[in-house]
Amino acid sequence: RNATIAQIRELRNKYPVMWIDAVGLGDAALIEEMGELLGLHRLSLEDMATVPQRSKVEDYPHHLFAVTQIPTYNGDLCLEQVSMFAGKGFVLSWREHAGNCFDIVRKRLQVTNGTTRSSGVDYLLYALVDAVIDSYFPVLEQLGEVFDELDDRVEADSEPACIAQMRDLRHDVRQLRRIVWPLRDAIDDLVRSPPEQITQETLIHFRDCHDHAVQIMDTLENYRDAGSDLRDYYATSISNRMNETIKVLTIISTIFMPLSFIAGVYGMNFDAHESGWDMPELRWKYGYPFAMGLMAVVALGQLWFFRRRGWIGKGKQRGKSVDEG
Amino acid sequence: RNATIAQIRELRNKYPVMWIDAVGLGDAALIEEMGELLGLHRLSLEDMATVPQRSKVEDYPHHLFAVTQIPTYNGDLCLEQVSMFAGKGFVLSWREHAGNCFDIVRKRLQVTNGTTRSSGVDYLLYALVDAVIDSYFPVLEQLGEVFDELDDRVEADSEPACIAQMRDLRHDVRQLRRIVWPLRDAIDDLVRSPPEQITQETLIHFRDCHDHAVQIMDTLENYRDAGSDLRDYYATSISNRMNETIKVLTIISTIFMPLSFIAGVYGMNFDAHESGWDMPELRWKYGYPFAMGLMAVVALGQLWFFRRRGWIGKGKQRGKSVDEG
Amino acid sequence: RNATIAQIRELRNKYPVMWIDAVGLGDAALIEEMGELLGLHRLSLEDMATVPQRSKVEDYPHHLFAVTQIPTYNGDLCLEQVSMFAGKGFVLSWREHAGNCFDIVRKRLQVTNGTTRSSGVDYLLYALVDAVIDSYFPVLEQLGEVFDELDDRVEADSEPACIAQMRDLRHDVRQLRRIVWPLRDAIDDLVRSPPEQITQETLIHFRDCHDHAVQIMDTLENYRDAGSDLRDYYATSISNRMNETIKVLTIISTIFMPLSFIAGVYGMNFDAHESGWDMPELRWKYGYPFAMGLMAVVALGQLWFFRRRGWIGKGKQRGKSVDEG
Amino acid sequence: RNATIAQIRELRNKYPVMWIDAVGLGDAALIEEMGELLGLHRLSLEDMATVPQRSKVEDYPHHLFAVTQIPTYNGDLCLEQVSMFAGKGFVLSWREHAGNCFDIVRKRLQVTNGTTRSSGVDYLLYALVDAVIDSYFPVLEQLGEVFDELDDRVEADSEPACIAQMRDLRHDVRQLRRIVWPLRDAIDDLVRSPPEQITQETLIHFRDCHDHAVQIMDTLENYRDAGSDLRDYYATSISNRMNETIKVLTIISTIFMPLSFIAGVYGMNFDAHESGWDMPELRWKYGYPFAMGLMAVVALGQLWFFRRRGWIGKGKQRGKSVDEG
Amino acid sequence: RNATIAQIRELRNKYPVMWIDAVGLGDAALIEEMGELLGLHRLSLEDMATVPQRSKVEDYPHHLFAVTQIPTYNGDLCLEQVSMFAGKGFVLSWREHAGNCFDIVRKRLQVTNGTTRSSGVDYLLYALVDAVIDSYFPVLEQLGEVFDELDDRVEADSEPACIAQMRDLRHDVRQLRRIVWPLRDAIDDLVRSPPEQITQETLIHFRDCHDHAVQIMDTLENYRDAGSDLRDYYATSISNRMNETIKVLTIISTIFMPLSFIAGVYGMNFDAHESGWDMPELRWKYGYPFAMGLMAVVALGQLWFFRRRGWIGKGKQRGKSVDEG
């Protein structure tokens, strides 16, 4: 629910732990006021308000500051920045836009009234970080589906439109990697040298967060390699098709050029009537069948040559046996 | 043999060390009960039930938790998750599906009644980890055979079907690497800073496990490089074949185009009877032999040119000398 | 304002902290004099005067020495070296050429008379380093725009001129990386093991500088990957276009070679009047329509074959559906 | 000389240091007996008997265990496993096959009776390791020669047989790297944290071994890069040749197609006698010379065009000037 | 000046610090004698005499030993090994061949009689190392010029001779990297954990050496990337040219094949006198102009098609606008 700064001040004195979920980075005055009220460092507020920010966890004198991105994917990859401040008795989360990614935390708070609310700032911070990290998994799944679909399409027809889409996909994967990498490092740092606010029990939960982040990284590495493979596959496919096209050209040329040449020879106008040496074939009784036969022999010879080289017929059968094998 | 939770509780008090080999991740209630009985941490149970999990060894307050994958290969690579818990007086292994990979441990237990059973939880854990790691070697061998076979096929005919298979193989190798890498790291961590449950003597055995994991990694690196090499080899082969095809096309065109042109010239209808300048060759006595001779000279000249360039004849001989050398 | 060495000596005694902003590396005598006046190490002066220098922060007995580059981009990437010395009561910045990159520091000094001027040498040094790092962001933005523009152009027509520009761009990105990498490392070192001159409060500000440097590196990595992608995309585009060109050639050859052959056959001069076997078609009433019909059948057969292979017509429709999808 | 287990037991009591050089991994009983006699750990014996093993130095409770490979090259790369055990008063080396690689150690022992024999187990171990490492250098030289030879052949004619050989060579280099890498690491570990058996003086010698291993790695890296370069060179050569072939095809087609067309035009059967518009050239006095002249003009125009494009003549001269420059 | 071993022994007692500059590795006896006189370790003498040696600095019991390479470039890259020994009261440098690279040290010694000579062994060692490192810069500049020149040539005409030169250049850069890399590491080690002989003041100078080595590495990395870029650029250029060549072929074929076909049709010998269906065009008054007009229409149609595809005319204009933009 919406609350004014004044209300927050009041509530703060009432409850030992308070979670403030702020949205929108436009109102500089509000940010300033909130910062003053909770004693937040100026640099952390600046980082919060500047988009995009690299994922990090920083230990300021009076509070922890964490910033990262929440991804959504619907064809394009969108990133929303979320900052978290954890000080004495409060956790402040501040997002660019309203979203439903913290609903799970809110629900958990309502259900486990006794457990989470009371167990302090560190567990609340963990719950928020966990919610952020879990928001990556659906995006990964969507990307995986796009990969599978693209894979099928490349295999089916290698159309130019695929290159552009492959490039977009690779770009998205790279961008995600660039966000998750420092996120993983930040949580790793947190787990290795935990600030004093965080209890041993919550640390085990943060270790679990770290595991999830590592798993996301693994999947992204996988996608990255799959992307390179797909690109190589596409390039080889094009080479293969070009090869096929050139083969068709060569077969046609090699068969018809000699035939046309023979036809051309018997189209010469040497006067067979004038000299016995000048194209006597033209006056042979079976001259025409002889020429046609010669052509047939040449054409069949060529076909035999191509078949032996595996360019026609045999090649297809071999291809089939592979599909079956 | 199958046992109920109640039986386990009973048996636990009877024997100092107990190995429980559970199968199937579907029964959430059973997992819960077992976790409560043995005092397992909630997060470790969650990790056990979530597939796929990254290989890791984690030190929880009351027990060690290890999770990894067992591979099987029959054309496709299948992975089955196995989790191990080692606490005071018990080792619990929990697999997705029943398999025969722990048979060797069971046999060892029956044979060396005196040694293994009594030598405690740490040695039992080692025996299980060893069995898991040893299950990778047959898969590696199978992959190696597929590589060799593919290698032969690429060398023989570079058919398009090879690309797809190469890609699958590369994908499998990459997936295995992604599993074995953290497995190796986890065992390395275990050896470097061993938890107190593990004795010095068992540590030497774990060091041996680590060696095996490193060796698996080495083989996989080898396969990965072999995969890239194969891909490059295939691409170069296609280029080579395209080159050959284009050479055939060029040779045929270069020989027959001038010949056809000459035939075309003497097929022109200039009226040799009307003017002495118009194609007197047509009325020469040896006009036709002259034209045929001209063509033969042109054709032989081309053949000589191609032979000197090494495109025909000589090229093949050179190729042979290489095979002999 | 300009000041002589004598004036500086005078002013130095008057104010607790002094910022000297020197420009130009030509006057060796001035550098020597200045070095003596402020007690600067000979090696640091040599480094300052040698262009280009790798970014670094060095801790000399009596002063800190920092050197880095300020980039400007207007089609070509220009780099200007800037050195900073921070000793007891003075900060000396020395640039190759006069520029407006320190104007922001000057303005800050005039505005916050009370804060910055008095807060000592370390904050002043931070302000200068911050100004230098902030000067990279506009350059990154300009490079990003060039990338976008190049991207559009490659997609539109793959002209040869693009390769040269891509190469220039990749070179610029690489050069920037090579400057920012040691800069980031130097600031990281400074933050990890800060020299005693730097207070805890200023350190937080330097940590912010480090963050910015890391962000610049991230963007540059991104540009580098985008550059490789663009190159691959361009190469694949060329392959695709070559494929298209060869297809046109093959289609034309495959259609017209058989047609020309048929025309050639009926252009042979066998004497149909002499023997019933010699080209009776020539005397058929519908010989000509028969020949033309034969040609039409052959041509349509070829077109049908190409259409079935997806080389004409259908291929374009498929391409469209992709653009819509 | 051959010795039985009994003899070894006897001799062991007589001499302070003993070197046993065993050959052959087949006799499991002998290995067992030897292991018991000298107090070797079961796992180290297992490693010794399993081929191939990764190079490593391991510190067992009662002895050091080292295992590595000795390479030989005669067209194919062969690897022979050698294990070394160094305990109190004995060094045991165990090879797969008898070879002459330890002859140098034997000779050294006979010559420097006073120095080596007495200076203890650690120096003897060093001598063996040194002999193993020195056995790599002749193999590297042989590989280098094969590289040079292949290099010359690729430059001369880019025949398909080269690809297969290049791949074999790259594979050999990779395999060697995979052996030497852990060997270097193992010696590095030994030098950094030496077991107590090794004296300071011998350590300097082991440092020298490490240097040699690093040098072998350097050479192998060099070969690896040379291998990639060769592959790229080969691929570019093929592209270049294909380009040349296509140029020949294009030149021939471009010259003869228009010529054939002109000949075809004057081969048309329009009846010049029937109408003044129908091919009057056929009845011109100089019609034939005119047609031939037209063809000559077209052909020369094409040649001029190709020469200007640098496809013929000029191109070769430029090529020469490069060879001279 | 030349000196005998005896003279050295004498002079050694006279001066506190002595620099011996030896040349030539052939005289094993001299090396032995020198080693004995100055108390040098046998292994360091062996390393000195073996060429090539990896750059390193080693701390022997009685002296420091450093070995590296001095490069010279005149078309080919030549490397000369230089070893340096620094013990109590002496520095011994030993080179393969006489060269002028230490002249600068000699000059410095003569000029600054008071400073360098007296300031001890460590400064002298620094001066020598500095001279060696500075000898790399002219080589880098020469390589840079070769790169620029090659760059221009690739851009101008992509002749096959470029590939070989590119490969040589890449090889030289790689070789230099392989020398400078351990040199940098060695100096880095020296600076991080300096042996006791080296004073704090000289250490700052060694830090400067390290900086120079890092800068050389940076330049070499740059050259390496530039080399890869050049290779890619060359490969793309070849693709582009092949594309252009194939376009010319396709345009010519596509224009002349239909024309030749039309000419072929009207060259058929169907007897127009015999039947009204057989080629009535041949007897039309404007038959010939009709045929020529048909050809012109076909040819212009093709040209229009190619122009619309951007293969002729328009393409060039677009190219120009890019050069202007």
Side-chain angles (χ1 to χ4, degrees), chain D residues 1 3-5 7-21 34 37-38 85-93 109 117 120-121 124 128:
Chain D
R1 72 216 92 136
T4 63
I5 290 286
Q7 284 176 307
I8 290 173
R9 190 171 295 135
E10 234 175 273
L11 288 164
R12 208 185 160 188
N13 298 327
K14 250 162 94 183
Y15 298 102
V17 178
M18 184 169 63
W19 171 32
I20 307 156
D21 184 22
M34 187 72 91
L37 172 65
L38 299 172
F85 301 82
K88 242 189 193 143
F90 72 93
V91 171
L92 168 62
S93 63
L109 284 180
R117 284 215 180 184
V121 159
L124 193 53
L128 292 173

Side-chain angles (χ1 to χ4, degrees), chain B residues 145-157:
Chain B
E145 274 161 34
V146 177
F147 257 112
D148 285 351
E149 184 214 340
L150 196 56
D151 207 274
D152 290 351
R153 258 178 52 213
V154 167
E155 205 143 334
D157 41 47

Side-chain angles (χ1 to χ4, degrees), chain C residues 196-212:
Chain C
E196 46 189 18
Q197 291 103 308
I198 294 180
T199 63
Q200 201 57 32
E201 175 60 26
T202 314
L203 211 60
I204 293 182
H205 286 90
F206 271 111
R207 200 171 64 183
D208 200 55
C209 274
H210 181 244
D211 261 27
H212 289 181

Side-chain angles (χ1 to χ4, degrees), chain E residues 284-303:
Chain E
W284 288 357
K285 194 171 177 194
Y286 299 108
Y288 182 54
F290 161 75
M292 295 307 271
L294 183 63
M295 289 176 192
V297 165
V298 167
L300 290 173
Q302 304 266 19
L303 287 172

Side-chain angles (χ1 to χ4, degrees), chain B residues 279-298:
Chain B
M279 312 201 74
E281 302 95 326
L282 295 183
R283 283 180 311 168
W284 287 357
K285 193 172 178 195
Y286 299 108
Y288 181 53
F290 162 76
M292 294 308 271
L294 183 63
M295 288 175 190
V297 165
V298 168

Side-chain angles (χ1 to χ4, degrees), chain A residues 41-43 46-47 52-54 56 58-61 153 157 159-161 163-164 167 170-171 174 178 231 234 238 241-242 244-246 248-249 252-253 256-257 259-260 262-263 266-269 273 281-289 291-292 295, chain C residues 123 126 151 155 201 204-205 207-208 211-212 214-215 218 221-222 225-226 229-230 232-233 236-237 239-240 242-243 246-247 249-250 253-254 257-258 260-261 264-271 274-275 277-281 302 306 309 311 318 322-323:
Chain A
H41 198 279
R42 196 174 52 75
L43 284 174
E46 268 175 27
D47 279 353
Q53 206 67 31
R54 215 172 176 258
K56 61 182 172 188
E58 282 185 329
D59 196 1
Y60 282 94
R153 259 179 50 214
D157 41 46
E159 8 155 297
I163 341 172
R167 209 165 119 237
R170 283 162 55 83
H171 180 258
R174 228 161 45 220
R178 210 142 277 153
R231 195 192 53 197
Y234 183 79
I238 289 182
R241 271 156 219 246
M242 203 185 288
E244 286 305 307
T245 314
I246 290 178
V248 169
L249 177 61
I252 286 291
S253 300
F256 280 99
M257 276 192 157
L259 298 191
S260 283
I262 293 170
Y266 291 112
M268 294 197 295
N269 291 324
H273 296 274
E281 302 94 327
L282 295 183
R283 284 180 310 171
W284 288 357
K285 192 169 180 197
Y286 299 108
Y288 181 54
M292 296 306 271
M295 288 177 192
Chain C
Y123 190 83
Y126 153 71
D151 207 273
E155 206 143 334
E201 175 60 26
I204 293 182
H205 286 90
R207 200 171 64 183
D208 200 55
D211 261 27
H212 289 181
V214 170
Q215 212 159 358
D218 266 18
E221 295 275 341
N222 213 355
D225 289 350
D229 260 30
L230 205 56
D232 290 345
Y233 184 78
T236 321
S237 292
S239 284
N240 259 331
M242 204 186 288
N243 215 350
I246 290 178
K247 255 183 207 165
L249 177 62
T250 305
S253 301
T254 311
M257 277 193 158
S260 283
F261 167 66
V265 164
Y266 292 112
M268 293 198 295
N269 291 325
F270 288 100
D271 201 338
E274 207 133 303
S275 142
W277 286 99
D278 281 352
M279 311 200 74
E281 301 95 326
Q302 305 267 19
F306 288 129
R309 282 208 139 188
W311 287 12
R318 218 188 282 156
V322 170
D323 290 338

